[in-house]
Amino acid sequence: MTDADERAAVAERAARAGGRVAHDHFRSDIAIESKGEDDVVTEADRAAQRTVIESIRDSFPDDAFVGEEEDERKTVPDEGASWVIDPIDGTHNYVRDIRMWGTAVAAVVDGEPVAAATVCPALGDVYTADGDGAYRNGDPIAVNDVADPHRAAVSPTLWWDHDARDEYAAACEAIVRRFADMRRFGAAQVVLPTVAAGGLEGVVSNLRANPWDSVGGVFMIRQAGGRVTDLEGNRWRHDSTGLVASNGSLHDEVLAAAREIEDLD
């Protein structure tokens, strides 16, 4: 087994372990804490992250960890090996008893993802990606080939703060004017694999994504044949501003919609 293969296997194993912990507390009376305006956390988030890290450390004890919760580092190192973890992506859905959430783990080497897994226990889906492709429940997936905007559904993703709701509104308007429909799932690491699997044609945001909300899902889209850029149309990386993902066929249209958020055209 190569190092990349081992990292892919460990990413899936760790995401499954963390997902089981989160699912054990789902739809329970677990306490909800506030991390700030419109941001919440539960003990399930912390327990799931600890479980993920413990699972990875069994195989890679010296790697760095980038995690949403607790005291883990918050940026991806450009050198060396690291793991990017979101124990419950979609916590607002989770605490509302909505099934649209997942546990996401990405393996990164020198700033570039090499493997990823997002486990969605309440949905019954496991998305993974390795050096050869992307998969849902073990079966290969690929972006779709829709090239007509009037047949496309696009999602505004990430979360606009209250003082940026005009940008959120602009994103929605740009989508509904250009495309057939809009979806908002409330969990970026679920919506990005959905693009990879052909369920959506695009995702737009003008925001700088937290790595735990984005790195794994971006890798899945690329491994499934899609395209992900920043607002300038350059290849997206973990420190980019804006996140524009598509099936590739519609990327110019999706990028134009994203640029409308701040009137960049």
Side-chain angles (χ1 to χ4, degrees):
M1 178 181 289
T2 67
D3 181 75
D5 290 338
E6 185 176 6
R7 290 180 185 278
V10 169
E12 180 176 353
R13 184 182 71 209
R16 286 182 180 274
R20 284 193 294 271
V21 171
H23 197 239
D24 285 345
H25 295 285
F26 183 51
R27 294 182 174 171
S28 71
D29 59 355
I30 192 167
I32 303 168
E33 303 169 35
S34 174
K35 294 194 294 184
E37 188 176 43
D38 292 325
D39 197 5
V40 297
V41 65
T42 70
E43 179 52 36
D45 295 83
R46 300 187 185 102
Q49 180 166 294
R50 288 192 292 267
T51 297
V52 169
I53 291 173
E54 289 167 5
S55 181
I56 295 168
R57 277 190 174 141
D58 288 343
S59 301
F60 297 96
D62 298 323
D63 288 0
F65 291 93
V66 180
E68 180 174 13
E69 309 304 340
E70 299 188 316
D71 295 327
E72 303 305 330
R73 64 177 296 152
K74 305 304 177 187
T75 59
V76 177
D78 283 327
E79 295 183 359
S82 60
W83 298 83
V84 183
I85 302 161
D86 195 335
I88 302 178
D89 185 61
T91 303
H92 276 286
N93 288 342
Y94 183 89
V95 301
R96 291 174 179 269
D97 295 344
I98 297 170
R99 296 177 184 271
M100 194 70 65
W101 57 272
T103 299
V105 178
V108 178
V109 177
D110 295 334
E112 288 291 332
V114 298
T118 297
V119 175
C120 308
L123 297 174
D125 286 327
V126 175
Y127 294 93
T128 58
D130 57 22
D132 296 321
Y135 316 88
R136 180 174 58 199
N137 301 329
D139 297 322
I141 55 176
V143 297
N144 65 43
D145 60 0
V146 172
D148 180 358
H150 297 108
R151 293 178 51 219
V154 173
S155 175
T157 198
L158 308 178
W159 186 245
W160 286 265
D161 292 334
H162 275 285
D163 59 1
R165 288 304 168 87
D166 55 337
E167 296 178 10
Y168 184 11
C172 295
E173 181 179 359
I175 290 170
V176 299
R177 284 195 297 102
R178 287 177 176 271
F179 302 103
D181 206 351
M182 183 180 81
R183 295 285 187 275
R184 179 169 171 81
F185 293 174
Q189 290 281 38
V190 179
V191 73
L192 292 169
T194 301
V195 175
L200 290 170
E201 285 67 47
V203 169
V204 300
S205 182
N206 64 319
L207 305 174
R208 176 172 290 188
N210 292 316
W212 47 84
D213 290 329
S214 53
V215 171
V218 166
F219 182 67
M220 291 177 191
I221 290 174
R222 287 178 175 154
Q223 295 305 95
R227 184 179 174 193
V228 190
T229 70
D230 63 15
L231 291 175
E232 301 301 322
N234 299 317
R235 186 178 187 274
W236 186 91
R237 48 173 278 139
H238 59 81
D239 56 0
S240 292
T241 296
L243 194 162
V244 185
S246 78
N247 63 358
S249 301
L250 277 171
H251 198 80
D252 288 346
E253 284 286 337
V254 178
L255 178 59
R259 288 176 61 84
E260 283 187 26
I261 298 172
E262 297 180 4
D263 266 336
L264 296 176
D265 288 321

